[in-house]
Amino acid sequence: MALATRTSPDGRMVTIDISGRFDFSVHSEFRKVYEQVPGAAQYVIDLRQTEYVESSALGMLLLLREHAGGDRAQVKIVHCRPEVKKILTIANFHQLFQLD
Amino acid sequence: MLTAFLKAHWRAALISVGTLCLQGMGPRPEITLGLMVLNILAWSIPLARLWGQHQVRTEENATLATLAPVSAPDVTQVLYEVRSTVQEEVQRIETSLAQAQSLLRDAVVGLNQSFTGLYTQTQTQQQLVVSLLGDMTGAAQESHSSYATMQAFTQATSAVLQYFIDLVVSISRQSMQTAYKIDDMVQQMDGIFGLLANIKTITEDTHLLALNAAVEAARAGEAGRGFAVVAAEVRRLSQHSRQFSERLGAQIEEIKTTIATVRQVVGVVASTDMNVSLEAKGRVDAMMDELQQVNGRITHSLHEVSTVTTHIHEEIGVAVRALQFEDIVTQLLGYIRKPLETLQHLVHVLEAMPHTLDSAQLRTLEATLAQLRPVAETVPHNPVAQTSMSAGDVELF
């Protein structure tokens, strides 16, 4: 399973763990995760086990941000590997997401 | 007598021999010049002494002449040797002096030309550096319609790359949005399939109902004849309806296939790896940073070169001023000529004298010497007061 979801007890925070490649093949599942928890206000994308971020993942993350309220969205991308963080930084994602 | 003289003044002789040897070593004018001056100085002391001794001896001879009859072949011989030695040395000094002056002149002319050339070259260098600095810092941008400074280039490249990155991200977002919409469409198509299944059930029910109605009409006989026609019509309609829903199903199936193809294409677009481009931007950024630093270092070095060139200019000015030493040295050499002329004159007097002297002749000699002495004494001791060549302290005379 490339994708796992954890929801906080109050259902406000959704954490998505992605292992291996974050690419087009996970897009349906990724979307389903956040659409199935309508009450969530905060999203955490844990990339601890992500080896590679494809450019389609950038689009998925942007659409999640829009779903979560655009500029008011609270989306955190955490535990990035250096090479992953480099890609995200070049794409200026540090200005749109909380990048750790 | 000559050997005795040379033995007495072996230092000067040694210097002469040494300088002659050194002169033979190479044609360097400044060395030759130095050696000439050294030679002159070396011989001036013994010659001065010789002159003094000669004076004393002449006076002694005069005294002797008044006391005793003059028939002294020894004295005459000595005088003869002194005369020839002095003449030889005077000539040698004269030759050296002339050579020294000529060499000095040539050397100074050469040095002047060299320094002038150096000055022009450094001036050109300074202009080049200033122009380069202008190019580097973009200070000359008013004169160039399209200035290409490193900074402007970096900024332009960065902007283009950023535009490209934004485009990549935007395409990715739109592709994913399209992919999601296609997913939605597939889902909606599945909904239509569900509805079609319902229609199929209704059609089958209608068909059965029509069949039932036909059976009932037949049982009713003549009274049900009209009803049997209606039942047959309903059956026919249900068959049409079934054919219709079957064709609709097939059509939707085709649409689903098409959508699957579109979804695949969008997937390929979204998956097209743009990371190479993103990483390229990172690399170009790093290179730009490095270029900027190199640019800064070059500008700094150019400023230093400019400063060094200014210093060289100043130093050349000092050197050109110092070259005026030629005038002073020429005057000093001229000053050395005067006593030499006196010496030469004395030699001529001595030459004109017979080998044996009577008292009258001795008196004539005495008178001539007395005439010569004031000439020697009126010669200014040193027309050049200058003792050092410190820059900016040169008086022209």
Side-chain angles (χ1 to χ4, degrees):
Chain A
M1 191 76 177
L3 205 135
T5 318
R6 287 175 276 139
T7 310
S8 64
D10 62 355
R12 303 280 296 161
M13 190 172 91
V14 176
T15 307
I16 306 171
D17 298 293
I18 298 155
S19 57
R21 288 174 65 89
F22 188 3
D23 60 14
F24 188 72
S25 65
V26 301
H27 81 278
S28 298
E29 221 179 326
F30 185 78
R31 183 197 187 194
K32 222 181 280 170
V33 164
Y34 63 77
E35 284 189 340
Q36 275 172 359
V37 191
Q42 208 182 346
Y43 298 88
V44 177
I45 315 297
D46 194 329
L47 300 183
R48 193 192 311 261
Q49 288 180 303
T50 308
E51 291 159 8
Y52 187 76
V53 171
E54 200 183 63
S55 49
S56 59
L58 304 178
M60 289 182 227
L61 289 168
L62 283 175
L63 291 172
L64 164 62
R65 185 175 175 270
E66 282 168 30
H67 174 84
D71 290 342
R72 288 176 289 103
Q74 284 189 306
V75 184
K76 265 191 202 171
I77 303 173
V78 297
H79 302 129
C80 300
R81 294 183 184 195
E83 57 268 31
V84 169
K85 190 164 188 173
K86 195 172 138 195
I87 292 288
L88 294 177
T89 309
I90 290 169
N92 276 334
F93 271 32
H94 55 289
Q95 291 172 1
L96 303 173
F97 300 89
Q98 293 180 45
L99 223 61
D100 284 325
Chain B
M1 173 68 190
L2 179 61
T3 44
F5 178 77
L6 288 176
K7 206 180 272 178
H9 304 293
W10 58 274
R11 286 188 197 87
L14 202 62
I15 288 166
S16 278
V17 173
T19 52
L20 281 171
C21 290
L22 282 171
Q23 254 172 296
M25 277 165 65
R28 289 191 55 185
E30 66 272 26
I31 291 178
T32 313
L33 181 66
L35 295 177
M36 294 285 164
V37 173
L38 197 64
N39 220 342
I40 292 162
L41 290 173
W43 281 108
S44 60
I45 297 162
L47 279 175
R49 267 191 211 153
L50 195 63
W51 173 247
Q53 283 171 7
H54 172 74
Q55 296 270 35
V56 170
R57 274 189 207 151
T58 316
E59 278 166 27
E60 278 172 0
N61 284 350
T63 322
L64 280 172
T66 51
L67 293 174
V70 181
S71 64
D74 287 352
V75 173
T76 321
Q77 188 60 32
V78 165
L79 276 177
Y80 179 73
E81 280 187 24
V82 166
R83 196 177 65 201
S84 50
T85 309
V86 167
Q87 192 168 23
E88 274 171 32
E89 290 306 321
V90 163
Q91 267 169 4
R92 200 177 293 170
I93 291 167
E94 284 242 300
T95 317
S96 294
L97 264 181
Q99 213 175 345
Q101 266 180 327
S102 155
L103 283 168
L104 179 67
R105 204 168 41 241
D106 289 353
V108 168
V109 167
L111 279 170
N112 253 324
Q113 280 173 351
S114 175
F115 277 127
T116 311
L118 198 60
Y119 189 84
T120 317
Q121 294 288 324
T122 48
Q123 217 162 14
T124 314
Q125 181 182 316
Q126 182 72 348
Q127 280 166 3
L128 283 172
V129 167
V130 166
S131 144
L132 264 176
L133 271 173
D135 286 347
M136 300 289 287
T137 56
Q141 54 183 272
E142 292 122 24
S143 56
H144 298 88
S145 52
S146 58
Y147 61 97
T149 65
M150 192 54 74
Q151 204 173 1
F153 174 69
T154 310
Q155 279 168 0
T157 312
S158 242
V160 168
L161 282 173
Q162 195 51 57
Y163 172 77
F164 189 63
I165 296 301
D166 291 347
L167 203 64
V168 166
V169 173
S170 163
I171 286 171
S172 171
R173 185 193 155 277
Q174 278 159 11
S175 304
M176 290 322 297
Q177 206 166 22
T178 313
Y180 287 162
K181 291 290 170 208
I182 290 167
D183 286 350
D184 292 347
M185 268 169 80
V186 170
Q187 227 167 7
Q188 284 155 11
M189 286 293 164
D190 287 342
I192 293 172
F193 257 106
L195 293 177
L196 272 179
N198 284 348
I199 290 172
K200 205 176 168 188
T201 315
I202 292 165
T203 310
E204 275 163 12
D205 287 353
T206 313
H207 183 71
L208 277 176
L209 213 66
L211 213 65
N212 260 341
V215 171
E216 287 303 319
R219 199 179 289 166
E222 199 57 37
R225 188 172 293 272
F227 193 66
V229 173
V230 174
E233 206 54 37
V234 170
R235 230 179 98 193
R236 204 174 55 81
L237 275 173
S238 77
Q239 272 167 351
H240 276 184
S241 177
R242 196 178 64 203
Q243 280 168 9
F244 173 77
S245 67
E246 270 168 7
R247 283 220 304 274
L248 200 64
Q251 204 85 38
I252 288 169
E253 203 61 55
E254 265 178 55
I255 292 173
K256 270 180 86 173
T257 315
T258 310
I259 287 175
T261 313
V262 173
R263 191 177 174 224
Q264 211 180 352
V265 170
V266 170
V268 169
V269 170
S271 299
T272 301
D273 203 349
M274 295 292 190
N275 284 4
V276 177
S277 318
L278 296 181
E279 278 164 4
K281 202 244 175 201
R283 278 202 300 279
V284 170
D285 277 348
M287 275 159 65
M288 287 298 169
D289 277 352
E290 211 165 309
L291 270 177
Q292 198 87 336
Q293 282 173 9
V294 169
N295 194 39
R297 282 201 294 275
I298 290 173
T299 308
H300 182 252
S301 298
L302 277 176
H303 272 298
E304 278 185 2
V305 169
S306 178
T307 314
V308 168
T309 310
T310 311
H311 284 162
I312 292 175
H313 256 201
E314 287 166 9
E315 294 296 333
I316 289 171
V318 170
V320 167
R321 276 202 304 279
L323 274 182
Q324 290 177 12
F325 83 93
E326 186 210 0
D327 291 332
I328 301 163
V329 173
T330 303
Q331 289 218 358
L332 277 169
L333 291 177
Y335 168 68
I336 293 169
R337 256 209 186 99
K338 290 274 181 195
L340 279 180
E341 277 168 17
T342 312
L343 271 176
Q344 206 138 27
H345 188 71
L346 185 68
V347 168
H348 284 312
V349 170
L350 287 172
E351 228 166 354
M353 287 206 349
H355 281 219
T356 50
L357 292 173
D358 55 23
S359 64
Q361 281 168 327
L362 203 60
R363 265 183 216 101
T364 316
L365 178 63
E366 212 176 357
T368 315
L369 283 173
Q371 264 185 332
L372 276 174
R373 200 171 294 162
V375 174
E377 277 167 3
T378 51
V379 169
H381 278 289
N382 194 351
V384 182
Q386 190 108 11
T387 51
S388 83
M389 284 302 302
S390 52
D393 201 23
V394 175
E395 292 161 24
L396 296 174
F397 38 84

